Amino acid sequence: MATCRREFLLSFRRKSDLVNPLIFFLMVATLFPLGVSPEPGFLAQIAPGVVWVAALLATLLSMDALFRSDYEDGSLEQLLLSPQPLFIVVLAKVVAHWMMTGLALTIMAPLLGLMLFLPSEGMPGLMLSLLLGTPTLSLVGAIGAALTVGLKKGGVLISLLVLPLYIPVLIFGSSAVQAAVTGLPLGGYLALLGALLALALGLAPLAISAALRISISS
Amino acid sequence: MAEKKWMPRWFYQLASPRWCYEITGKLLPWFFAAAVVLLIGGAVWALLFAPADYQQGNSFRIIYLHVPSAILAQSAYMLMAVAGAVGLIWKMKVADMVLKSAAPIGASMAVLALATGAIWGKPTWGSWWVWDARLTSMLILFFLYLGVMALNSAIENESTAAQASAVLALVGLVNIPIIKYSVEWWNTLHQPATFKLTEKPAMPAEMWLPLLVMVIGFYCFFAVSLMQRLRNEIIWRERRTGWVRELLNKQ
């Protein structure tokens, strides 16, 4: 898709936007051993939650930029006017964004798991749950980004709007990792994450397009 | 117009701020009286005459505040979302105003439900707060209200603000069934719903009748405060129109 390709090109030309969420992800994870306790047993216990919270915050941080530059240079209006259905265009933008952040976070997650002494049995669970969960985070976050794109200071507002909606993903995601660590079957949690993703995939683009139209019209 | 009318006449009339202002003015005293009678009567009945619980003693009486406010917090959210949908579909100004007026009331109901639940939980469960599905989803509901309010106040253009918060309210609607069924889907500390439409309540009638009175009283109170806020909002937004000037000059 052309929109997808354009997004990739744009983000590769601005490498800092690409790398910043990942650095943030790493730094948040570093804060916990320093702030709470460096003891391996304790860290292993909180690791699933910490990695998930860090991934969630990193996604949230990158969300504001999703429509911002397009809005400022006017290409968002062109996208809205283009003959392609907005649903597809928006979906392409979000997918591209997810590949830059969510997928990268997923690939980086084992490193954080290692830093936090996550038992190696938990690693597949961590990767799988992030793989299924982060697209939902991107989709839901994009609704917040679309609603606030017309505002000067959208950053804090996005977190206020979107964080409550992130909580279910966080709960099932970290539970999946916990289950993997203790050797319990994690199929149920992954199925729930998948269900959330399916729901978001079907409905979020509708909400995003509606929100973009509202933001642009003002 | 040959176009088929889908909705009853009052629905279209509600779209007119002036008509809405007048009709709420007529309804307001009735709801106000009903709310006063039901709340005072229900509270006296519940606190003085209802029998004490055989296990929890008198501490259970807080449910007469807790249950109605929790029900109201969810109903107010549904009303807000429905108003948002109506506003998005039919572009009604009044629906936008309903959305804006309902959010703070719903948020305070959610706070009341959480606070009374915490006060009850301390002697009964032994802690103020438990991270259990019902409580957490109620907290999320409160956050959603805050989000709608924050978004509404952040956007300066009134109609854009209303539309944006309507989209957000509709997205947040996902949470309502989660709260409703959280006590049935997960094993939690929180007991199942007190009232069901299809079954008789598990408590004796002397206990649940005052509760029902309180719930209806809370609904009336909600209607009163919603109408008050709505009327303020209508007057404020329509302040440049002729009929509002006339109204203000008369006073």
Side-chain angles (χ1 to χ4, degrees), chain A residues 140 143 147-148 151 157 160-162 164-165 167-168 171-172 199 207-208 210-211 214-215 217-218, chain B residues 88 136 140 143-144 147-148 150-151 154-157 160 163-165 167-168 171-172 174 178 186:
Chain A
V140 174
I143 302 177
L147 282 172
T148 53
L151 299 170
L157 198 60
L160 268 182
L161 305 184
V162 167
L165 300 168
I167 294 174
I171 292 175
F172 294 126
L199 190 72
I208 299 167
I214 292 166
S215 293
S217 70
S218 64
Chain B
L88 280 181
T136 312
I140 299 177
F143 289 156
L144 287 173
V148 170
L151 186 64
I155 305 179
E156 273 170 30
N157 183 320
T160 317
Q163 287 176 8
S165 5
V167 171
L168 185 65
V171 172
V174 183
I178 298 181
W186 289 286

Side-chain angles (χ1 to χ4, degrees), chain B residues 70-118:
Chain B
I71 293 179
L72 247 292
Q74 293 174 54
S75 300
Y77 195 89
M78 300 233 268
L79 176 86
M80 201 172 81
V82 169
V86 169
L88 280 181
I89 296 167
W90 285 281
K91 313 265 182 230
M92 280 190 190
K93 261 196 280 181
V94 176
D96 295 352
M97 299 181 203
V98 168
L99 182 137
K100 194 181 169 190
S101 326
I105 312 176
S108 35
M109 286 295 164
V111 171
L112 189 61
L114 289 171
T116 50

Side-chain angles (χ1 to χ4, degrees), chain A residues 69-131:
Chain A
S69 63
D70 280 358
Y71 176 76
E72 274 161 5
D73 66 12
S75 44
L76 194 58
E77 279 172 53
Q78 297 305 319
L79 276 181
L80 290 188
L81 292 172
S82 73
Q84 277 106 10
L86 195 51
F87 189 98
I88 306 289
V89 176
V90 161
L91 199 60
K93 269 188 86 74
V94 176
V95 167
H97 178 267
W98 172 71
M99 288 183 164
M100 298 296 158
T101 56
L103 196 60
L105 290 177
T106 309
I107 294 169
M108 229 175 94
L111 176 64
L112 271 81
L114 230 92
M115 281 166 65
L116 297 170
F117 304 103
L118 185 76
S120 54
E121 302 88 60
M123 291 298 178
L126 184 68
M127 298 279 277
L128 276 174
S129 67
L130 280 172
L131 198 62

Side-chain angles (χ1 to χ4, degrees), chain A residues 126-197:
Chain A
L126 184 68
M127 298 279 277
L128 276 174
S129 67
L130 280 172
L131 198 62
L132 279 171
T134 45
T136 318
L137 297 183
S138 290
L139 282 163
V140 174
I143 302 177
L147 282 172
T148 53
V149 72
L151 299 170
K152 294 265 172 338
K153 283 177 256 170
V156 188
L157 198 60
I158 288 193
S159 358
L160 268 182
L161 305 184
V162 167
L163 274 181
L165 300 168
Y166 274 0
I167 294 174
V169 184
L170 173 70
I171 292 175
F172 294 126
S174 54
S175 311
V177 185
Q178 215 99 43
V181 170
T182 44
L184 294 170
L186 64 161
Y189 295 111
L190 293 181
L192 275 169
L193 281 175
L196 287 176
L197 175 58

Side-chain angles (χ1 to χ4, degrees), chain B residues 108-167:
Chain B
S108 35
M109 286 295 164
V111 171
L112 189 61
L114 289 171
T116 50
I119 294 167
W120 178 83
K122 184 67 188 161
T124 318
W125 293 342
S127 75
W128 296 105
W129 183 261
V130 184
W131 286 103
D132 128 315
R134 192 54 161 302
L135 279 68
T136 312
S137 49
M138 200 69 198
L139 190 66
I140 299 177
L141 181 71
F142 174 58
F143 289 156
L144 287 173
Y145 273 123
L146 293 187
V148 170
M149 282 155 70
L151 186 64
N152 214 324
S153 57
I155 305 179
E156 273 170 30
N157 183 320
E158 276 166 351
S159 72
T160 317
Q163 287 176 8
S165 5
V167 171

Side-chain angles (χ1 to χ4, degrees), chain A residues 16-32 50-62 105 108 112 115:
Chain A
S16 69
D17 275 10
L18 190 64
V19 181
N20 279 351
L22 298 177
I23 299 175
F24 177 80
F25 186 45
L26 200 64
M27 282 183 171
V28 170
T30 318
L31 290 181
F32 277 86
V50 170
V51 177
W52 255 96
V53 169
L56 192 148
L57 292 177
T59 314
L60 194 63
L61 194 75
S62 66
L105 290 177
M108 229 175 94
L112 271 81
M115 281 166 65

